[in-house]
Amino acid sequence: MAEIVRENGRVVFTEAMREAYTILVPHMAPYHFDLVINAARSEGYKAELLTTDDYDVIHEGMKYAHNDICVPAMLVIGQFINAIKKRSIDVDKTALVLVQTGGACRASNYISLLRKALIKAGYPDVPVISLNAGGLEKNPGFNVTPRLLHKFHDAILFGDMLMQLVNQTRPYEITPGETDAVHKDVVDDLKAYFNHRTLFTWRKHKRQTKTIIGRFKRIPVDRSQIKPKVGIVGEIYVKYSPLGNNHLERTLEQEGCEAVTPPLYDFFLYSFDSRVYDIKTYGGPRKEKLALKIFVWYVEIRRNKIRKMMRKAGYEPGIPYKAIKRLTQGFIDVGTHTGEGWLLTAEMIDLIRHGAPNIVCTQPFGCLPNHIAGKGMIKKLKKHYPESNIVAIDYDTSASKINQINRITLMVSNAKRNLERKIG
Ligand code: SF4
């Protein structure tokens, strides 16, 4: 066991731990985090993705987190503690990693809540690594080098594309299971991609993107039956995590719909852009503002190229970040950026305008920012876009799954009726 070093009460992830420790990663966004793990492993980290989603996870979360705290925190904490307790992992060689936004929302406190829960559960020496863009905590054994950052960037780009390709193919596949099989093969193949040692690999990325699109394109599909498109928006964890939203994408597909989940990268761009807004409005380092603006610009150049390739192959890749931001005009101020803030409203408008007026707005129970920018905007959106068909669903550890399904089914039957009327 490596020597335990503490700093301000927290356990530091030291150089000595880097090779020996397994870093557990919570299952937030399945399409993306499979690839994030590959990226981390290619840089020498022993990273492992947690995929458990049974009741024990919820039970541990409720036991070790206060019941007033946000559902995503409860589920993430529950998944970590459940993994440590249930599996034969060596707790003396285990570390945990969590993304820390540093924003005004409670998400910034998840790290301290997790540390508190670990002490309560009897694991005070397990280091928790904070993954953040603001240099909030330093861990000498975990360095986000430019190359690792670049690989994470590639992982999110590929993850977004895979999510769109799967969602636009699976509801129409002729042989059940074929899309999932292709998805799995692509993730396996991408392991080799992340072993690159250079920084700027756009040519390689482009070739890889083309190959992936081609593999999905070859899946035999039957698109003769038009299915209603249903958008999924909401708080970042319950929007993407099957554990958080009770496998919402699958539920919608079983109900005869095509799920449309907006790209994860939009959330990161929104977070960086929000920091730019704050520096402009309240003051702050000009160098940081410039660096963030350049980063957003760079990511958009890359995303534009991917969008072009997807569109050429007949897929719908979504619209640029700037266009999403413009949609807020007349609805919500871009200064509203706690939680998912204005991005949530803009995503709903984008979905309504681009063929998916049916929307599930996922909300962790008691999540104030998202009740304002999500549920709180529904009335205004309905007034402006009468064709919109939005249902807000609360996700809570004690919420009734049947109740959630009933409300989704009602929204879907309206969606089907509206579609029939539209196509005559
Ligand atoms: S966005 Fe909502 S669920 Fe997430 S930390 Fe903030 S209050 Fe909690």
Side-chain angles (χ1 to χ4, degrees):
M1 184 185 168
E3 186 198 350
I4 301 294
V5 178
R6 289 181 197 276
E7 193 183 278
N8 299 326
R10 75 176 172 99
V11 182
V12 178
F13 188 74
T14 59
E15 274 286 358
M17 293 171 173
R18 183 186 160 120
E19 300 227 321
Y21 275 52
T22 300
I23 303 172
L24 302 183
V25 183
H27 203 208
M28 191 188 122
Y31 296 99
H32 310 78
F33 276 39
D34 276 342
L35 306 176
V36 166
I37 290 283
N38 285 349
R41 283 183 184 155
S42 73
E43 290 295 303
Y45 295 103
K46 281 199 217 164
E48 199 188 311
L49 189 65
L50 300 173
T51 52
T52 38
D53 65 352
D54 50 55
Y55 183 75
D56 288 350
V57 169
I58 299 169
H59 178 75
E60 296 294 356
M62 288 165 83
K63 193 167 162 191
Y64 293 106
H66 194 278
N67 62 0
D68 260 358
I69 205 63
C70 310
V71 176
M74 220 180 258
L75 293 176
V76 167
I77 290 171
Q79 197 173 42
F80 277 140
I81 303 229
N82 178 256
I84 294 172
K85 274 190 179 176
K86 284 276 172 71
R87 300 194 2 233
S88 51
I89 51 174
D90 185 352
V91 76
D92 292 334
K93 287 185 180 165
T94 301
L96 312 176
V97 68
L98 255 189
V99 178
Q100 199 173 12
T101 59
C105 211
R106 283 185 277 183
S108 292
N109 299 321
Y110 283 15
I111 295 266
S112 16
L113 290 168
L114 176 58
R115 289 191 180 123
K116 203 173 157 198
L118 285 169
I119 293 170
K120 203 170 152 191
Y123 310 112
D125 294 337
V126 173
V128 180
I129 303 164
S130 160
L131 202 57
N132 64 77
L136 292 176
E137 287 180 354
K138 297 266 180 287
N139 287 287
F142 192 88
N143 297 318
V144 183
T145 57
R147 195 171 60 208
L148 182 57
L149 196 65
H150 190 247
K151 289 182 180 185
F152 283 162
H153 153 81
D154 274 357
I156 305 297
L157 283 182
F158 280 130
D160 277 340
M161 183 176 74
L162 281 174
M163 181 171 71
Q164 288 166 330
L165 291 172
V166 168
N167 283 338
Q168 290 174 38
T169 310
R170 196 167 52 200
Y172 307 98
E173 66 189 6
I174 290 172
T175 313
E178 196 167 352
T179 311
D180 287 339
V182 169
H183 176 207
K184 190 181 169 300
D185 285 351
V186 168
V187 173
D188 286 345
D189 291 353
L190 279 173
K191 276 182 196 155
Y193 173 86
F194 284 106
N195 284 327
H196 66 74
R197 311 307 294 168
T198 49
L199 258 185
F200 301 103
T201 56
W202 171 240
R203 273 170 81 190
K204 212 173 161 190
H205 188 116
K206 190 178 168 188
R207 221 179 308 134
Q208 195 76 41
T209 304
K210 216 171 157 187
T211 309
I212 296 171
I213 295 174
R215 289 178 79 169
F216 277 87
K217 199 70 198 158
R218 284 196 293 278
I219 298 174
V221 288
D222 174 8
R223 295 186 190 271
S224 57
Q225 191 203 345
I226 302 175
K227 299 188 175 199
K229 291 185 181 182
V230 180
I232 300 175
V233 298
E235 187 275 340
I236 186 110
Y237 185 85
V238 290
K239 175 178 168 187
Y240 293 107
S241 166
L243 169 64
N245 63 27
N246 288 329
H247 299 267
L248 183 55
E249 276 186 0
R250 291 278 179 185
T251 306
L252 291 170
E253 281 178 21
Q254 281 158 9
E255 292 292 331
C257 305
E258 177 188 322
V260 186
T261 313
L264 178 61
Y265 225 136
D266 282 342
F267 178 78
F268 290 114
L269 296 187
Y270 150 83
S271 305
F272 296 136
D273 195 28
S274 297
R275 176 73 186 134
V276 172
Y277 176 94
D278 284 347
I279 295 176
K280 260 192 211 160
T281 315
Y282 311 111
R286 286 169 69 182
K287 269 189 191 161
E288 187 187 346
K289 189 177 86 178
L290 184 66
L292 289 170
K293 281 177 100 166
I294 291 173
F295 184 74
V296 173
W297 168 81
Y298 165 73
V299 172
E300 274 306 85
I301 287 185
R302 287 241 166 153
R303 295 211 310 166
N304 275 338
K305 291 184 179 178
I306 297 169
R307 282 187 201 110
K308 219 166 145 187
M309 288 163 85
M310 285 184 73
R311 221 167 265 133
K312 205 171 156 197
Y315 295 100
E316 180 43 64
I319 62 172
Y321 172 74
K322 269 191 177 169
I324 292 254
K325 194 175 172 184
R326 270 198 301 270
L327 293 175
T328 54
Q329 285 165 15
F331 287 92
I332 190 167
D333 192 87
V334 289
T336 314
H337 56 65
T338 300
E340 278 57 41
W342 62 258
L343 181 66
L344 209 174
T345 313
E347 282 178 346
M348 289 199 278
I349 301 171
D350 175 33
L351 286 162
I352 298 168
R353 285 185 166 199
H354 294 102
N358 319 293
I359 297 169
V360 181
C361 185
T362 61
Q363 316 274 358
F365 180 72
C367 164
L368 189 62
N370 286 287
H371 274 72
I372 292 167
K375 202 173 183 175
M377 294 302 295
I378 295 177
K379 202 171 164 194
K380 191 164 182 177
L381 289 176
K382 278 200 170 157
K383 199 172 159 202
H384 210 84
Y385 300 103
E387 73 275 28
S388 63
N389 172 29
I390 310 171
V391 63
I393 306 283
D394 275 340
Y395 286 90
D396 184 16
T397 45
S398 54
S400 148
K401 195 177 169 187
I402 301 293
N403 194 16
Q404 290 168 354
I405 302 248
N406 280 347
R407 303 195 60 219
I408 291 168
T409 314
L410 190 65
M411 182 276 298
V412 168
S413 54
N414 285 337
K416 286 183 178 168
R417 204 172 31 243
N418 293 343
L419 186 66
E420 270 167 28
R421 253 190 241 137
K422 199 175 162 195
I423 56 179

